[in-house]
Amino acid sequence: MVELEDLPSVGEKTAEKLRDAGFADMMRLATATAKELAVKAEIGEGVAEKVIEAARKSEKIGFETALDVSERRKEVGRISVGSQGFNDLIGGGIETQSITEVFGEFGSGKSQISHELAVTVQLPIEQGGLEGQCVFIDTENTFRPERIIQIADGFELDHEEVLSNIHIARAFNSSHQILMAESINELIQQGNNIKLVIVDSLMAHFRAEYVGRESLAVRQQKLNQHLHALQQIANTYNVAVFITNQVQAKPDAFFGSPTKAIGGHVLGHASTYRIWLKKGLAGKRIARLVDSPHLPEGECVFKITSDGIVD
Ligand code: ADP
């Protein structure tokens, strides 16, 4: 393995600064921008550029053939949502190396699916998991360990062990939320086998803090930075990112959906999969895949039970 000190223009001091700032491995460095690295590690931008270039060389980052991309796609793991119909809708479960977004009204099941995934990611591969741990960024204080215990019991898992594999970050405002997401890099570098990052809910703080048209540009810029950090973690460490989002009423809509996800184009472009959740009759829920790079649009019905998400 290439160490920081092996890179040209990195001495002991710079290496220490880089490690302290959470840039301890080549892939993390290779996917950083010079500005980001200069600010966080407190080094000159010129040095930062050189270090990044060297890390990219060592990771052989540049053009790659479609065959390489296809090989990397083979490493993509999938995490079961609990319901077979739902899994089929999204190609077998939520994917690593991607951002999956669910949006829907209050009570449509967004937090319930988040809790379910925090458990299923820990299952063995043949049962729909990745034998991995989870980071749960909780922005609205909706995380409930009691619910995890119920779901874990449904899978006959040792619920204490399940709880100990979920790293909770309670985010108090949007800056804190951004910081927590970026510090996941360190958690992984410390040896935690994180395979899933959940942000429930992505937009709540951004929406509350940036009100009015005049602050929209700043909000979108911050949101972009946050999503970029999440995508970087997904790609660098083969992790699945799952985000929940609220909706905004569109009272003037005659056709199509009367509600739409908030977050604008910045979020629309960042999410690889977008799923719209709706309440159905008799406690049922409907999931509709509205955006995917390679799967057809479609719908499925699922239920929320005390054991978790089922068909
Ligand atoms: P949101 O989309 O607002 O995040 P939630 O994921 O919190 O919505 O879903 C809340 C709904 O989940 C409740 O209205 C209830 O129908 C269902 N639910 C929550 N806990 C349980 C449980 N233990 N057993 C069955 N259904 C539950």
Side-chain angles (χ1 to χ4, degrees):
M1 206 177 89
V2 185
E3 294 293 333
L4 291 176
E5 286 84 353
D6 301 333
L7 299 176
S9 71
V10 177
E12 218 171 278
K13 249 204 159 117
T14 310
E16 199 182 312
K17 283 185 181 174
L18 292 172
R19 282 201 184 95
D20 286 349
F23 296 90
D25 65 38
M26 286 305 125
M27 203 53 192
R28 175 71 184 107
L29 272 178
T31 53
T33 65
K35 235 197 184 77
E36 179 194 8
L37 192 59
V39 172
K40 290 187 183 156
E42 295 173 351
I43 57 176
E45 226 174 279
V47 179
E49 265 170 31
K50 279 197 194 126
V51 173
I52 291 171
E53 200 186 305
R56 284 186 185 157
K57 265 201 191 122
S58 108
E59 289 295 308
K60 301 191 177 58
I61 290 185
F63 280 109
E64 52 184 359
T65 64
L67 185 63
D68 295 331
V69 176
S70 154
E71 284 300 313
R72 206 175 52 242
R73 289 276 312 158
K74 284 186 193 151
E75 285 169 26
V76 167
R78 291 197 164 75
I79 306 166
S80 167
V81 187
S83 137
Q84 192 54 47
F86 201 149
N87 285 338
D88 291 344
L89 179 72
I90 54 176
I94 73 154
E95 268 188 19
T96 61
Q97 301 176 24
S98 291
I99 298 181
T100 301
E101 173 193 351
V102 292
F103 64 95
E105 283 171 292
F106 178 75
S108 57
K110 305 181 293 290
S111 289
Q112 292 302 317
I113 296 175
S114 304
H115 283 73
E116 175 87 16
L117 287 166
V119 176
T120 55
V121 67
Q122 304 187 32
L123 292 169
I125 291 170
E126 49 293 356
Q127 282 176 259
L130 293 174
E131 285 169 29
Q133 302 184 355
C134 155
V135 169
F136 199 116
I137 300 184
D138 182 11
T139 69
E140 294 182 302
N141 200 15
T142 45
F143 179 79
R144 293 289 174 274
E146 304 87 291
R147 195 61 186 114
I148 295 292
I149 292 174
Q150 285 180 335
I151 299 171
D153 287 346
F155 283 105
E156 293 177 355
L157 297 170
D158 172 355
H159 56 242
E160 271 192 23
E161 197 184 326
V162 170
L163 287 170
S164 69
N165 284 328
I166 304 173
H167 306 261
I168 314 286
R170 175 96 172 81
F172 295 102
N173 55 47
S174 67
S175 318
H176 190 216
Q177 181 178 337
I178 291 173
L179 202 72
M180 294 312 296
E182 291 176 359
S183 58
I184 296 169
N185 281 292
E186 279 145 70
L187 207 59
I188 296 175
Q189 285 163 16
Q190 285 159 10
N192 294 294
N193 181 30
I194 309 290
K195 284 287 143 207
L196 170 67
V197 173
I198 295 166
V199 187
D200 183 28
S201 101
L202 179 83
M203 293 297 300
H205 287 314
F206 288 95
R207 195 184 205 182
E209 288 164 34
Y210 298 95
V211 267
R213 279 204 171 268
E214 60 285 359
S215 58
L216 196 61
V218 185
R219 185 190 90 173
Q220 292 306 84
Q221 187 201 342
K222 292 273 177 200
L223 181 62
N224 195 22
Q225 179 195 343
H226 186 38
L227 289 165
H228 189 268
L230 292 169
Q231 186 68 63
Q232 174 264 317
I233 293 161
N235 292 341
T236 312
Y237 302 109
N238 198 18
V239 165
V241 174
F242 183 79
I243 60 185
T244 73
N245 192 10
Q246 297 151 313
V247 287
Q248 168 191 336
K250 269 197 313 187
D252 54 340
F254 283 108
F255 301 103
S257 75
T259 54
K260 71 176 211 197
I262 59 172
H265 291 302
V266 167
L267 181 54
H269 292 310
S271 311
T272 319
Y273 298 92
R274 302 193 101 179
I275 301 152
W276 180 25
L277 299 180
K278 287 176 281 183
K279 287 191 210 171
L281 294 173
K284 289 189 177 142
R285 298 288 190 286
I286 298 150
R288 178 169 183 83
L289 183 66
V290 291
D291 200 358
S292 148
H294 63 97
L295 293 171
E297 291 203 351
E299 277 189 0
C300 76
V301 178
F302 67 94
K303 276 191 290 218
I304 306 171
T305 68
S306 64
D307 282 350
I309 310 293
V310 297
D311 278 315

